[in-house]
Amino acid sequence: MSEVSYDALRAQAAKRDSEDELSAKRAEFELDDTVYLDGNSLGALPTVVQERVADVISRQWGQLRIRSWEESGWWTAPERIGDRIAPLVGAAPGQIVVGDSTSVNVFKALVAAVRMARDSGEGRDEIVVDATTFPTDGYIAQSAARMTGCTLVPVAPGEVHGVLGPRTAVVLLNHADYRTGRLHDLPALTAAVHDAGALVVWDLCHTAGALPVGLDEHGVDLAVGCTYKYLNGGPGSPAYLYVRADLQARFDSPLPGWNSHAEPFGMRPEFEAADGAVRGRVGTPDILSMLALDAALDVWDGVSIEAVRAKSLALTDFFVECVAAYVPEGRVEVITPAAHEQRGSQVALRCEDAGDVMRRLVEHGVVGDFRAPDVLRFGFTPLYVGFADVERAAGVLARTLGETGTGTGIAG
Amino acid sequence: MSEVSYDALRAQAAKRDSEDELSAKRAEFELDDTVYLDGNSLGALPTVVQERVADVISRQWGQLRIRSWEESGWWTAPERIGDRIAPLVGAAPGQIVVGDSTSVNVFKALVAAVRMARDSGEGRDEIVVDATTFPTDGYIAQSAARMTGCTLVPVAPGEVHGVLGPRTAVVLLNHADYRTGRLHDLPALTAAVHDAGALVVWDLCHTAGALPVGLDEHGVDLAVGCTYKYLNGGPGSPAYLYVRADLQARFDSPLPGWNSHAEPFGMRPEFEAADGAVRGRVGTPDILSMLALDAALDVWDGVSIEAVRAKSLALTDFFVECVAAYVPEGRVEVITPAAHEQRGSQVALRCEDAGDVMRRLVEHGVVGDFRAPDVLRFGFTPLYVGFADVERAAGVLARTLGETGTGTGIAG
């Protein structure tokens, strides 16, 4: 809490920013003097989006109109943009389609996985789901279980091993806990699920664009994710679905819309599923949002996800270091794991009056978010957050905590 | 085919345009000298969209970022925009939410309807579906039947009466046939389904914004529709779902995402459905596309859907009259019904070499579309199509048909 510690950490921040190979990327985003640590909720705006969407509206829609379905590549956008996301999550081309929300994609993935599991033998009637996951995954898993005659088995990720067995059809896991930022062990959990003869669906909302996922390398079966967090696609931008290449022929979608038909313009009464990732499409793609995402992905040109991960860990380490230096001991509890292999790209702090603290932080120009009942959540997006931001955020947090707190009478 | 007939029809077109109370609306769209008769596939761009979306991107997303979920009304956009569509389809507020694709909404509506039908008594295990409908409805209905243990009964709309009975759970019908433009009798069919103790889901893709639908007046149970045709929301803009107010408490969605939770930010593990139309939401709403639609709906300010219908019928009547006057008899067959009560807002012509003819029409500045194997489809959007456009389109069609045709050797 001394001035010395402030000066030393500020100097360290300046030095690290000057050595940061990703620092130039910040200029590709629309940012002000706010310290924006909520990119794990809504990524900042990449500058290129505005002009590209203006062209989509005025020229592609306004002038070419329906011709754009072919001439502007609208029709194939879901798989083309999927192929742009693929390298960020360690997938070869042809396995990802963009479209619908994460919830809808969880439904497709789970139902299709149950059907695949049953192809391989009867008796598989359990859907195991991460009980600590973002709630929508659990709600949708419950519906998928109900509609496929399965039983839902909610467990903490650490307990997955204990419930796997001959009845397990599919396991739905979040790669990182949205609240604590804990990163789960995707390779080991995937292998354990496979050993039990079941399939796994990973939700990558909180990791895609923040760290290497390695879908192909680790033999993941299916995966879903949103694109509005670390991929900066814009509010509610379309989600994506990954179906491993060798499973695609067996992917039997519960939402077989005309866009997943082998011959969509044949307008045939009988459904015949298209080959490949396209089978995961449903209805007409949402072009404005999809092409905003397409533009937003330009910021990844020349960026390696390994460099992003290295910077992410350095940022979160440094934040924890600054918080420890600036904040009185016991005022907050870091609930994000210290071990790198267990940490996503966020730091969560438990704090009794978290709702009030976050409101004041935002007023003081540091934007994170509050997750009920007592979590301050700070996301670190390596493409646009620097070390000086981190030091400043910790300093503002310390001052804010000094102003608030139960018993001070200031809160409210 | 004489010059006299051309002159007379042109004079009539000019007179009608001068008397058209909706003619000023055309200036609110981005149009060129093309005769755009494909608004039943993709509506033309309302001018206001460009500026509004630019603001959504640069200010709401770029500057306010996550604050916009509250401050810019993003979170409530699905129901707020639903309430703007409501008067166009004859619905009181609080019954429509916008989001997802038409296909996904068909799935929600059908599964929820089957569940409601079963609440009222066992033994209802048939989903009746319009066999002539746009194919995606049939594919999704097949999936809904499979996942609810129902049997799919595909019939032509004229044969619905004959298959209704104590086993009928729900009937899915298109208000207008996408190919022929035939308008089905929504009040009579709804009443017949209700007499059989079943529920009805109407697909309004080809009628919303083109003619009065009267959802509340006729006691429709559920309805879905897209917003990119006569509602001009942009390519793949979000669809909508109508659930009649008194059925909402029984609406049990197969896609219970976190946005349909009674307390979405409570992040509770147990699902508890929200009250009202919000129950039809699923995942995070697609804000850019949704707010483009919101802007596009401004063109309806001060417009009565009855005036739109009157002009639509006048336009389609006039097109048929011009085609009869200009095109050699037998060269095309009008397959859209002549009776007003059986006609949507399009005219479909059967023509052996329709694919080739449409390609040439487009080259000559008249844009309709081709539906395999032999249909020329022309949509008439009363807000921006005038009578002179109609006369010109018929004239270009006649000249084009003179240049093409099997046996002339010109086609190809």
Side-chain angles (χ1 to χ4, degrees):
Chain A
M1 298 288 288
S2 69
E3 279 307 311
V4 176
S5 127
Y6 275 96
D7 288 348
L9 288 169
R10 279 177 193 156
Q12 193 187 138
K15 178 166 183 295
R16 287 187 172 203
D17 279 330
S18 73
E19 293 165 357
D20 172 17
E21 63 173 296
L22 294 174
S23 63
K25 280 284 159 188
R26 184 186 178 103
E28 297 182 30
F29 290 86
E30 294 298 308
L31 291 163
D32 48 29
D33 59 359
T34 301
V35 179
Y36 190 65
L37 302 180
D38 212 0
N40 53 336
S41 178
L42 175 64
L45 169 65
T47 302
V48 68
V49 171
Q50 182 78 275
E51 190 180 319
R52 291 273 286 284
V53 172
D55 179 66
V56 171
I57 293 175
S58 66
R59 188 180 58 84
Q60 296 183 16
W61 174 14
Q63 292 171 29
L64 297 178
R65 292 181 284 261
I66 51 158
R67 289 166 50 192
S68 275
W69 283 109
E70 273 194 39
E71 291 178 30
S72 304
W74 288 356
W75 184 258
T76 54
E79 47 268 27
R80 182 171 54 75
I81 302 171
D83 281 347
R84 297 191 69 191
I85 294 171
L88 299 175
V89 291
Q95 300 177 105
I96 295 182
V97 278
V98 173
D100 303 308
S101 65
T102 305
S103 300
V104 169
N105 282 302
V106 167
F107 186 76
K108 292 180 214 169
L110 284 180
V111 173
V114 168
R115 290 172 176 174
M116 288 181 205
R118 286 180 171 167
D119 280 351
S120 313
E122 285 303 316
R124 295 199 177 264
D125 63 353
E126 288 181 352
I127 297 178
V128 177
V129 62
D130 180 350
T132 63
T133 188
F134 187 75
T136 210
D137 289 25
Y139 307 153
I140 294 289
Q142 179 67 63
S143 176
R146 173 183 176 189
M147 297 194 77
T148 55
C150 285
T151 301
L152 194 69
V153 182
V155 292
E159 296 160 8
V160 166
H161 290 81
V163 300
L164 294 173
R167 290 185 58 184
T168 312
V170 56
V171 181
L172 170 64
L173 295 165
N174 241 283
H175 197 189
D177 185 300
Y178 77 99
R179 206 181 312 238
T180 64
R182 176 183 291 271
L183 183 69
H184 298 306
D185 189 343
L186 182 143
L189 282 161
T190 299
V193 173
H194 287 172
D195 284 348
L199 292 104
V200 68
V201 177
W202 282 97
D203 180 333
L204 307 178
C205 284
H206 283 274
T207 53
L211 50 90
V213 177
L215 290 176
D216 287 352
E217 179 187 353
H218 303 301
V220 168
D221 303 300
L222 300 121
V224 302
C226 76
T227 61
Y228 47 77
K229 299 180 188 291
Y230 299 104
L231 298 177
N232 313 301
S237 56
Y240 57 89
L241 172 69
Y242 164 90
V243 182
R244 203 179 66 218
D246 64 298
L247 294 178
Q248 290 170 353
R250 293 166 58 204
F251 184 83
D252 181 2
S253 175
L255 294 169
W258 73 294
N259 273 236
S260 64
H261 197 284
E263 202 193 324
F265 292 95
M267 305 287 165
R268 297 211 302 260
E270 296 301 319
F271 183 74
E272 185 193 336
D275 287 335
V278 173
R279 193 174 284 204
R281 289 175 59 166
V282 184
T284 304
D286 200 339
I287 294 301
L288 298 193
S289 294
M290 201 164 280
L291 297 187
L293 166 62
D294 193 23
L297 291 171
D298 283 6
V299 301
W300 293 95
D301 288 351
V303 173
S304 90
I305 193 72
E306 288 74 20
V308 167
R309 174 61 167 166
K311 182 174 172 188
S312 160
L313 288 170
L315 289 169
T316 51
D317 275 344
F318 189 53
F319 183 67
V320 171
E321 183 183 350
C322 292
V323 168
Y326 297 168
V327 173
E329 208 176 322
R331 187 65 179 87
V332 298
E333 178 197 357
V334 179
I335 60 173
T336 303
H340 282 181
E341 66 275 16
Q342 293 175 18
R343 191 195 305 161
S345 198
Q346 76 178 54
V347 174
L349 305 178
R350 182 166 287 140
C351 169
E352 203 178 328
D353 49 343
D356 185 45
V357 170
M358 185 51 72
R359 190 177 54 73
R360 285 165 183 260
L361 279 177
V362 171
E363 284 167 12
H364 293 127
V366 173
V367 178
D369 63 22
F370 163 63
R371 282 293 174 258
D374 59 1
V375 172
L376 297 170
R377 203 175 70 148
F378 301 96
F380 297 85
T381 306
L383 294 188
Y384 55 76
V385 172
F387 293 88
D389 296 322
V390 166
E391 189 279 334
R392 188 177 141 212
V396 172
L397 173 65
R399 285 195 297 281
T400 302
L401 288 167
E403 295 163 12
T404 66
T406 47
T408 66
I410 302 175
Chain B
M1 296 287 285
S2 67
E3 278 307 310
V4 175
S5 126
Y6 275 97
D7 289 346
L9 289 168
R10 277 176 195 157
Q12 193 186 141
K15 179 165 182 296
R16 288 187 171 203
D17 279 331
S18 71
E19 293 164 357
D20 172 17
E21 62 172 299
L22 294 173
S23 63
K25 281 284 158 187
R26 184 187 179 104
E28 296 182 30
F29 291 85
E30 294 296 308
L31 291 164
D32 49 27
D33 59 358
T34 300
V35 179
Y36 190 64
L37 302 180
D38 212 1
N40 55 334
S41 178
L42 174 64
L45 169 64
T47 302
V48 69
V49 171
Q50 181 77 274
E51 192 180 319
R52 291 273 286 283
V53 172
D55 178 66
V56 171
I57 293 176
S58 66
R59 188 179 59 83
Q60 298 184 13
W61 173 14
Q63 293 172 29
L64 299 178
R65 290 181 288 261
I66 51 156
R67 289 166 50 192
S68 276
W69 282 108
E70 273 193 39
E71 292 177 29
S72 304
W74 288 357
W75 183 260
T76 54
E79 47 271 25
R80 183 173 52 76
I81 302 171
D83 281 347
R84 297 192 70 191
I85 294 171
L88 298 174
V89 291
Q95 301 177 104
I96 295 181
V97 279
V98 173
D100 304 308
S101 65
T102 305
S103 299
V104 169
N105 282 303
V106 167
F107 186 74
K108 292 181 216 170
L110 284 180
V111 173
V114 168
R115 290 172 176 174
M116 289 182 206
R118 285 179 173 167
D119 280 351
S120 314
E122 285 303 315
R124 295 200 177 264
D125 65 352
E126 288 181 351
I127 297 177
V128 177
V129 62
D130 180 349
T132 63
T133 189
F134 188 73
T136 209
D137 289 21
Y139 307 155
I140 295 289
Q142 178 68 63
S143 176
R146 173 183 176 189
M147 297 193 76
T148 54
C150 286
T151 302
L152 195 69
V153 182
V155 291
E159 295 159 11
V160 166
H161 290 82
V163 300
L164 295 173
R167 291 185 58 186
T168 312
V170 55
V171 180
L172 170 64
L173 294 166
N174 241 284
H175 197 188
D177 185 300
Y178 77 100
R179 207 183 309 240
T180 64
R182 176 184 289 271
L183 182 69
H184 298 306
D185 189 343
L186 181 143
L189 283 160
T190 299
V193 173
H194 287 172
D195 284 347
L199 292 105
V200 67
V201 178
W202 282 98
D203 179 333
L204 308 178
C205 285
H206 284 274
T207 53
L211 50 92
V213 176
L215 289 177
D216 288 350
E217 179 188 352
H218 303 301
V220 167
D221 302 301
L222 299 121
V224 302
C226 75
T227 61
Y228 46 76
K229 299 181 187 288
Y230 297 105
L231 298 177
N232 313 301
S237 56
Y240 58 90
L241 171 68
Y242 164 90
V243 182
R244 202 178 66 218
D246 64 298
L247 294 178
Q248 289 171 353
R250 294 165 59 202
F251 183 83
D252 181 3
S253 176
L255 294 168
W258 74 296
N259 273 235
S260 64
H261 197 285
E263 204 193 324
F265 292 96
M267 305 286 167
R268 296 211 302 261
E270 295 301 320
F271 183 73
E272 184 193 336
D275 287 334
V278 173
R279 192 173 283 203
R281 289 174 61 165
V282 185
T284 305
D286 200 338
I287 294 300
L288 298 192
S289 293
M290 202 165 279
L291 296 188
L293 166 63
D294 193 21
L297 290 171
D298 283 5
V299 301
W300 293 94
D301 288 351
V303 172
S304 89
I305 194 71
E306 288 72 21
V308 167
R309 175 60 168 167
K311 182 174 172 188
S312 160
L313 288 170
L315 289 168
T316 50
D317 275 343
F318 189 54
F319 183 66
V320 171
E321 182 183 350
C322 291
V323 168
Y326 297 169
V327 173
E329 207 175 323
R331 187 67 179 84
V332 298
E333 176 196 358
V334 180
I335 60 173
T336 302
H340 283 181
E341 66 275 15
Q342 294 177 16
R343 191 194 304 161
S345 197
Q346 76 178 55
V347 173
L349 305 177
R350 181 165 287 139
C351 167
E352 202 178 331
D353 49 342
D356 186 44
V357 169
M358 185 52 71
R359 190 177 53 72
R360 286 167 183 257
L361 279 177
V362 171
E363 285 167 11
H364 292 128
V366 174
V367 178
D369 62 21
F370 164 62
R371 283 295 175 256
D374 58 2
V375 172
L376 298 170
R377 203 175 70 149
F378 301 95
F380 296 84
T381 305
L383 295 188
Y384 55 75
V385 172
F387 293 88
D389 295 323
V390 166
E391 188 280 335
R392 188 175 142 213
V396 173
L397 173 66
R399 286 195 297 281
T400 302
L401 288 167
E403 293 163 14
T404 65
T406 45
T408 67
I410 302 173

